Amino acid sequence: VQLQASGGGLVQAGGCLRLSCAASGSIFSRNAMGWFRQAPGKERELVGMIRSGGGTFYGDSVKGRFTISRDNAKNTVSLQMNSLKPEDTAVYYCNARPDYANMYAKSIGSWGQGTLVTVSS
């Protein structure tokens, strides 16, 4: 799976950003897609994943603020991030894995190149 992420940047606390990830079409519809993030000195953690059928999974720290969605016709997955906090600052990685895989596992599947999100206080 080829993954191309976009949409990172600098935003003030309380603001919003939208990340997008484009995937190769032959695999996209059969995979769960989503995002993990890694801040300096911390482990990679789940942000949000969405299965091909639409089931979603979120990390506890982003529930209620972030929303993941996918467009199967465009082979894209998006992450709408609202009410951003400085602790959301991290490199965000797009991920693809089989629908049957553990959505919380930190090191499986295919990964995009990462996009930096910086939230200033």
Side-chain angles (χ1 to χ4, degrees), residues 96-121:
R97 61 187 63 188
D99 268 346
Y100 58 78
N102 181 343
M103 295 297 114
Y104 297 91
K106 301 174 185 178
S107 59
I108 64 172
S110 300
W111 298 89
Q113 83 281 12
T115 186
L116 178 62
V117 172
T118 303
V119 184
S120 63
S121 58

Side-chain angles (χ1 to χ4, degrees), residues 27-68:
I27 302 296
F28 181 80
S29 62
R30 302 197 297 272
N31 277 265
M33 298 286 298
W35 301 87
F36 281 68
R37 69 186 182 186
Q38 188 164 18
K42 294 188 177 180
E43 291 189 357
R44 186 173 293 183
E45 64 174 355
L46 170 69
V47 179
M49 293 291 293
I50 182 168
R51 285 191 167 131
S52 62
T56 58
F57 303 79
Y58 292 98
D60 288 342
S61 61
V62 307
K63 286 179 181 176
R65 300 187 297 124
F66 292 9
T67 302
I68 192 168

